[in-house]
Amino acid sequence: MSFPLPSRTPSGPRRRTLLAAAAGAFALAGCSAPEPSSDTTGGSPSAADRARARAARDSLTLSDRYTAVIAAHPGLAERLGPLRAEVVRHVTAFGGGSAGASASPSGSASPSPSSASAPAQSSASSSASASASASASPGVAARPKDALADLATAELALADERTQALVEVPGELARLLASVAAAGAAHAFLLTKAAK
């Protein structure tokens, strides 16, 4: 009597399952409002408060990078708009807001609003004007694929940084950092796929 051979289906989760799990983790954790920390000593901010403020600044800087790429490459606006909106929600989740935008200490890493909006004023859509607007935005690659790859690298680096910070923060903030790191890793995957 012969037995049928087992099918050769790959073991382990599929890519779609991993992305759905990352999105589910983000939805479960939710973007909660910041809770004031009770372990402040002598009026100085706690480690959790400092980590939350840093995460908000990092998300704000990343949002500025998205804005600069969209301004330099308007053809990517439809693809990058939802990802940028998600990053802006992360800023809010960590307690940042529009007031934090002008006081961001990492302003040198992000383009100034005037330089990011200058390329958007160009209405010509020829390839010559596209490359000119890309070169007018400091820090944005001239080719759209390179700009997407740069964003993917930034998202992945920030996700790794946030994953490493999990051990230093209390439960609720750790869950928020974990879910935002998962979202950043998913963004990096989508951006890398789009850059190919």
Side-chain angles (χ1 to χ4, degrees):
M1 169 178 225
S2 65
F3 294 101
L5 294 174
S7 65
R8 293 200 171 245
T9 57
S11 62
R14 292 179 152 194
R15 193 176 337 174
R16 286 185 192 162
T17 306
L18 290 174
L19 287 175
F26 182 71
L28 284 175
C31 292
S32 61
E35 297 175 1
S37 179
S38 60
D39 62 343
T40 57
T41 55
S44 64
S46 70
D49 291 340
R50 289 189 306 271
R52 186 181 294 278
R54 179 178 175 200
R57 282 192 311 271
D58 290 345
S59 290
L60 186 62
T61 299
L62 185 60
S63 169
D64 290 344
R65 288 187 76 165
Y66 271 97
T67 302
V69 171
I70 290 170
H73 303 288
L76 296 176
E78 186 176 336
R79 176 172 284 159
L80 297 180
L83 298 178
R84 183 191 174 280
E86 192 72 25
V87 172
V88 169
R89 282 192 287 274
H90 297 163
V91 173
T92 305
F94 287 120
S98 59
S102 61
S104 175
S106 58
S108 61
S110 62
S112 66
S114 62
S115 66
S117 62
Q121 296 172 355
S122 173
S123 61
S125 62
S126 68
S127 61
S129 68
S131 64
S133 64
S135 64
S137 294
V140 176
R143 293 181 38 205
K145 287 186 176 195
D146 294 339
L148 289 173
D150 290 347
L151 278 175
T153 301
E155 282 273 17
L156 200 53
L158 189 53
D160 288 344
E161 199 175 294
R162 287 175 171 164
T163 302
Q164 291 174 3
L166 291 176
V167 296
E168 301 170 5
V169 294
E172 182 63 30
L173 181 55
R175 285 188 291 276
L176 181 59
L177 276 173
S179 64
V180 172
H187 290 180
F189 171 78
L190 294 171
L191 289 165
T192 301
K193 188 175 176 183
K196 291 183 179 180

